[in-house]
Amino acid sequence: MPEISVVTAAYNATDFIADTAKRVLAQDFTDFEWIIGSDDGHDYVAFLAGEGISDARILQVYSGGKGGAG
């Protein structure tokens, strides 16, 4: 288990999620996981990989709904 969990809510976040990822992953402290919580149907882990950002600490959870309806 990582010492810290960083949680980011994402909804239609493709315009800024790569910049967020770069900032989260640039931290000096490395014992963390970054959890992206979304309910918009986007696979942000795959999106980030397409942007050249891939890290085992990046996880995504889905609400099971779409746009808060779930």
Side-chain angles (χ1 to χ4, degrees):
M1 290 293 295
E3 189 170 339
I4 293 175
S5 295
V6 178
V7 180
T8 302
Y11 183 83
N12 291 334
T14 54
D15 288 345
F16 62 83
I17 199 76
D19 285 337
T20 303
K22 291 173 187 173
R23 288 182 173 105
V24 169
L25 296 173
Q27 301 303 307
D28 291 333
F29 184 82
T30 60
D31 188 16
F32 67 87
E33 63 185 353
W34 179 34
I35 302 169
I36 303 168
S38 69
D39 67 350
D40 60 5
H42 291 292
D43 182 343
Y44 289 107
V45 175
F47 176 81
L48 290 170
E51 297 290 310
I53 302 168
S54 182
D55 192 296
R57 296 172 294 179
I58 301 173
L59 308 167
Q60 183 169 355
V61 296
Y62 301 92
S63 70
K66 186 153 183 157

